[in-house]
Amino acid sequence: MIKKLDEITLHLETFASEGKCFARVDGFVVFVRGGVPGDDARVRIRKVKKQYAEADLMEILSPSPLRVTPRCKHCGTCGGCTWQHVDYPTQLVFKRQQVCDALKRLGGFDNLTVNPTLGSEHIYSYRNKMEFSFGTRWLTPDQLGARKHDGVAPPQEDRFALGMHPAGVYQKVIDLDECHLPSDVCTTILHLVRGYCRERRLSIYSTITHTGYLRNLVIRQSAYTGEVMVNLVTSEDRPEIMGPLCTMLRAEVPAIATFVNNITQRKNLVALGDEERVYLGSGYITERIGKRVYRISANSFFQTNTKQAERVYDTARAFAELNPDDVVFDLYSGTGTIALHIADGVKTVVGIESVAAAVDDARQNAVHNGVTNCTFVLGDLKERLTNDTAWLAQVPPPSVIIVDPPRAGIHEKVVREILALKPERLVYVSCNPMTQARDLKLMGHAYRITAVQPVDMFPHTYHIENVVGMVRR
């Protein structure tokens, strides 16, 4: 019988959910973090449940041929990458398998053709946005052992960290030396901001005491223009700190086009501000997807892999089989990127979104791009499609509906209302194949799946974007 803290040897068979590896001990399932299918490894049991156990990789006894050397020194501890040790073509294969498994196991769909995953042209330096946290420094087991051995508490500057949280740990922060997901400019800014804040011994916000100043550093860079936005999220307004920091950064990194300080008293670690001060530039940068140019402000949502986002939108447009007479409803429309991407090929597009700032961005994006056949409606879909429906009488019924919900998927009530609208075609874009499969099962009696296309938006993670096309039965 396996017990917690047991160390055992396993042969890792395949990937399972959340990028963990699947193995068996006398038929009992063990999920291992940090492994690669084909590894023979020594693992330590971390958690034991009735039907399975979870384990951490301790030593690779015989490496899998699918294993590669990670580029980043922090790989294996940092929560930003989980698969940098996996050969990239292999990542694409297992991401497709993740979609196949969800559609079959949760959706009940057999004999569906799932296309090979569309891989990213760039597997490093592909992110246009990075969100770093200020916090108490996370020490490795070796570092902790040294501290305990010499009996000396770490000095104040050693406790200060700016970087990413370790996988599954939100109370501490890895003090990053490098990160290969964004451009090198991003890493340069990270080091400059950390040095500035350390030198001045600025305090870090605590979610326990709700005191402290520094919360997050958010860096965006346009793949289209190269413009950089630096957004420092703090708990209070201190222009005597922000002004000199802005001046120093602009002198060191000329690509910085705008510098903003978001200020919030929220008692969580979401990197959003309730008040914003702009110290440099316009407060936004511009990005391009297809023929459209978008203004991105500090709190705007925008897909973090610009080039792959365009492939997702192109796929959605192709699956929708659009024609000039189509009326399209774009549900969970965000800042209007999908709506504006398809607008030229249809009669009209109606976007519905519950976040007011996103709707404002979508309307401005339509104006800036000279698009006149898109309308954006503010409101929760559960209300806008059932109770507060006066706007529906002012637009033709949709022939096509495109949905791109958050990871939680579509509310069952919204699924029923989509079915009641009876569009000829549906396109479901999802960042979570499991909730997507669940929702597709609810639609299966009314719609037939015509195409499935996974798109890799996030190399070196287990996440996958998936686009499904459907027609009414």
Side-chain angles (χ1 to χ4, degrees):
M1 182 66 180
I2 292 178
K3 301 186 296 297
K4 185 176 179 179
L5 300 182
D6 279 354
E7 292 193 7
I8 58 176
T9 299
L10 293 175
H11 176 74
L12 309 186
E13 298 178 24
T14 188
F15 277 119
S17 63
E18 298 181 344
K20 299 170 187 172
C21 269
F22 174 92
R24 291 184 181 92
V25 180
D26 298 327
F28 188 70
V29 173
V30 181
F31 296 107
V32 181
R33 293 194 301 194
V36 178
D39 280 343
D40 290 318
R42 182 170 60 87
V43 306
R44 178 182 292 159
I45 303 298
R46 178 166 41 86
K47 184 187 298 183
V48 179
K49 297 286 189 179
K50 195 170 186 178
Q51 296 181 321
Y52 67 92
E54 295 185 12
D56 295 319
L57 186 71
M58 302 302 292
E59 180 184 3
I60 300 166
L61 304 175
S62 176
S64 165
L66 307 179
R67 179 177 283 278
V68 296
T69 302
R71 178 182 290 192
C72 182
K73 64 182 279 188
H74 301 292
C75 180
T77 54
C78 176
C81 290
T82 49
W83 272 6
Q84 211 179 104
H85 60 296
V86 183
D87 175 58
Y88 187 61
T90 301
Q91 293 182 32
L92 300 182
V93 169
F94 281 111
K95 290 186 182 196
R96 176 185 177 275
Q97 189 60 48
Q98 185 183 148
V99 172
C100 293
D101 291 345
L103 289 172
K104 184 174 182 178
R105 183 167 52 88
L106 299 175
F109 298 103
D110 288 312
N111 304 317
L112 279 180
T113 298
V114 177
N115 292 321
T117 307
L118 292 177
S120 180
E121 178 185 354
H122 302 287
I123 64 172
Y124 293 105
S125 303
Y126 67 85
R127 286 189 64 102
N128 59 39
K129 177 187 176 184
M130 286 299 295
E131 195 173 291
F132 299 110
S133 298
F134 291 93
T136 303
R137 185 182 175 199
W138 184 85
L139 298 174
T140 66
D142 289 343
Q143 291 169 327
L144 279 172
R147 295 296 188 193
K148 289 177 181 176
H149 185 265
D150 63 25
V152 178
Q156 176 66 32
E157 59 268 22
D158 274 3
R159 294 200 293 266
F160 183 102
L162 174 59
M164 302 284 285
H165 294 284
V169 179
Y170 300 100
Q171 296 78 31
K172 299 291 180 70
V173 170
I174 297 170
D175 204 36
L176 289 186
D177 291 322
E178 57 185 298
C179 182
H180 300 282
L181 299 185
S183 72
D184 291 342
V185 169
C186 184
T187 309
T188 298
I189 294 169
L190 173 75
H191 285 291
L192 289 170
V193 171
R194 176 168 48 215
Y196 179 92
C197 295
R198 269 182 171 162
E199 186 178 307
R200 285 154 183 77
R201 296 183 173 273
L202 300 177
S203 60
I204 295 169
Y205 178 79
S206 166
T207 55
I208 298 173
T209 63
H210 304 298
T211 59
Y213 175 59
L214 299 169
R215 298 174 69 110
N216 298 94
L217 169 65
V218 185
I219 304 170
R220 293 182 185 259
Q221 184 172 24
S222 167
Y224 170 54
T225 64
E227 295 172 316
V228 175
M229 170 191 289
V230 177
N231 172 26
L232 207 65
V233 185
T234 62
S235 62
E236 58 182 309
D237 183 14
R238 295 183 62 182
E240 76 280 7
I241 296 294
M242 289 295 119
L245 174 58
C246 174
T247 301
M248 181 272 290
L249 287 176
R250 187 68 172 88
E252 295 288 339
V253 186
I256 296 175
T258 190
F259 179 98
V260 299
N261 174 207
N262 266 258
I263 304 152
T264 181
Q265 295 288 327
R266 298 183 193 193
K267 295 183 178 181
N268 56 36
L269 288 178
V270 177
L272 296 172
D274 301 308
E275 178 187 348
E276 182 173 294
R277 291 198 58 177
V278 178
Y279 284 84
L280 172 71
S282 60
Y284 64 85
I285 57 175
T286 55
E287 185 60 285
R288 183 174 188 147
I289 293 181
K291 63 189 292 186
R292 307 299 188 202
V293 176
Y294 300 92
R295 288 174 31 156
I296 306 173
S297 55
N299 295 321
S300 294
F301 170 79
F302 199 83
Q303 293 285 2
T304 52
N305 187 333
T306 305
K307 294 185 183 299
Q308 287 297 89
E310 184 168 347
R311 299 183 83 178
V312 169
Y313 299 162
D314 284 345
T315 302
R317 180 169 55 193
F319 286 4
E321 299 178 357
L322 301 172
N323 64 68
D325 295 325
D326 277 327
V327 174
V328 182
F329 280 12
D330 177 18
L331 309 185
Y332 309 94
S333 56
T335 55
T337 46
I338 291 180
L340 297 175
H341 195 72
I342 67 170
D344 284 352
V346 302
K347 182 178 180 180
T348 188
V349 186
V350 179
I352 309 173
E353 169 59 48
S354 62
V355 179
V359 173
D360 289 341
D361 284 342
R363 290 169 178 165
Q364 289 184 36
N365 285 330
V367 171
H368 296 321
N369 285 282
V371 177
T372 58
N373 64 336
C374 287
T375 301
F376 295 98
V377 178
L378 174 64
D380 187 288
L381 282 169
K382 295 194 298 294
E383 297 300 317
R384 284 300 202 176
L385 294 180
T386 54
N387 301 327
D388 185 13
T389 58
W391 66 274
L392 275 171
Q394 301 174 31
V395 297
S399 53
V400 178
I401 290 182
I402 299 175
V403 293
D404 185 6
R407 288 190 61 80
I410 308 174
H411 192 281
E412 188 173 346
K413 185 177 180 182
V414 176
V415 172
R416 292 197 299 268
E417 294 308 316
I418 290 173
L419 295 175
L421 289 168
K422 297 182 178 179
E424 296 169 15
R425 283 148 282 148
L426 275 169
V427 177
Y428 191 146
V429 181
S430 173
C431 59
N432 186 343
M434 291 188 289
T435 54
Q436 184 185 43
R438 176 203 67 197
D439 299 340
L440 291 172
K441 185 176 183 179
L442 297 176
M443 302 177 183
H445 68 283
Y447 287 84
R448 175 175 58 86
I449 293 177
T450 56
V452 183
Q453 181 61 69
V455 182
D456 186 21
M457 296 277 283
F458 310 107
H460 309 305
T461 77
Y462 57 82
H463 297 292
I464 182 68
E465 199 89 2
N466 192 47
V467 187
V468 174
M470 294 170 280
V471 296
R472 188 150 57 96
R473 292 186 185 276

